Amino acid sequence: MNNSKILIVEDNPANAQLIMDLLQLWGYAYKDVNTVSAAIESLASEHFDLLLLDMLLPGRPGYELIPKIKKLSPNICIVVMTGQDDPALERKVRDLGSDKIGEFSGK
């Protein structure tokens, strides 16, 4: 088993399940949440090495969380997930502190 712990912030159940299935297969510990508030609560109370963050969450874009996340967990690696191909949005997300942006077609 891998010692890294991953927080998944994804509101689409099918996408979340696919990610969880892969992480389990690869031996990673993870926690799955589907809202901005649940993500903040989890980050404030638990240690995570990696954050897989959906860019578009209900009520608030996921990328708006990045500055707050970096304050709560300065060493966390953030990968923003999206189905959008938007270079301007990618620059914005990187400027906010994301370590990586991954495009997933079919989302």
Side-chain angles (χ1 to χ4, degrees):
M1 173 162 262
N2 192 308
N3 290 332
S4 298
K5 189 170 179 186
I6 301 170
L7 179 61
I8 306 161
V9 186
E10 171 63 69
D11 65 311
N12 181 305
N15 292 346
Q17 189 61 56
L18 175 63
I19 295 166
M20 289 186 292
D21 289 347
L22 289 171
L23 293 176
Q24 184 173 8
L25 178 69
W26 296 332
Y28 286 95
Y30 62 85
K31 181 174 183 177
D32 172 49
V33 298
N34 59 12
T35 65
V36 170
S37 60
I40 292 169
E41 281 180 28
S42 295
L43 288 162
S45 63
E46 298 177 57
H47 169 79
F48 295 94
D49 301 290
L50 174 66
L51 173 67
L52 299 176
L53 177 63
D54 185 13
M55 185 170 308
L56 299 175
L57 294 165
R60 186 170 168 188
Y63 63 82
E64 288 183 1
L65 282 174
I66 295 171
K68 184 166 185 110
I69 291 165
K70 286 294 190 175
K71 284 182 183 173
L72 287 170
S73 300
N75 296 321
I76 195 168
C77 179
I78 301 173
V79 176
V80 177
M81 305 178 294
T82 183
Q84 299 180 356
D85 182 14
D86 184 346
L89 189 54
E90 181 176 348
R91 277 190 302 280
K92 181 176 186 166
V93 168
R94 287 189 189 279
D95 289 345
L96 288 169
S98 173
D99 297 291
K100 178 79 175 147
I101 184 166
E103 288 181 28
F104 299 97
S105 59
K107 183 168 179 186

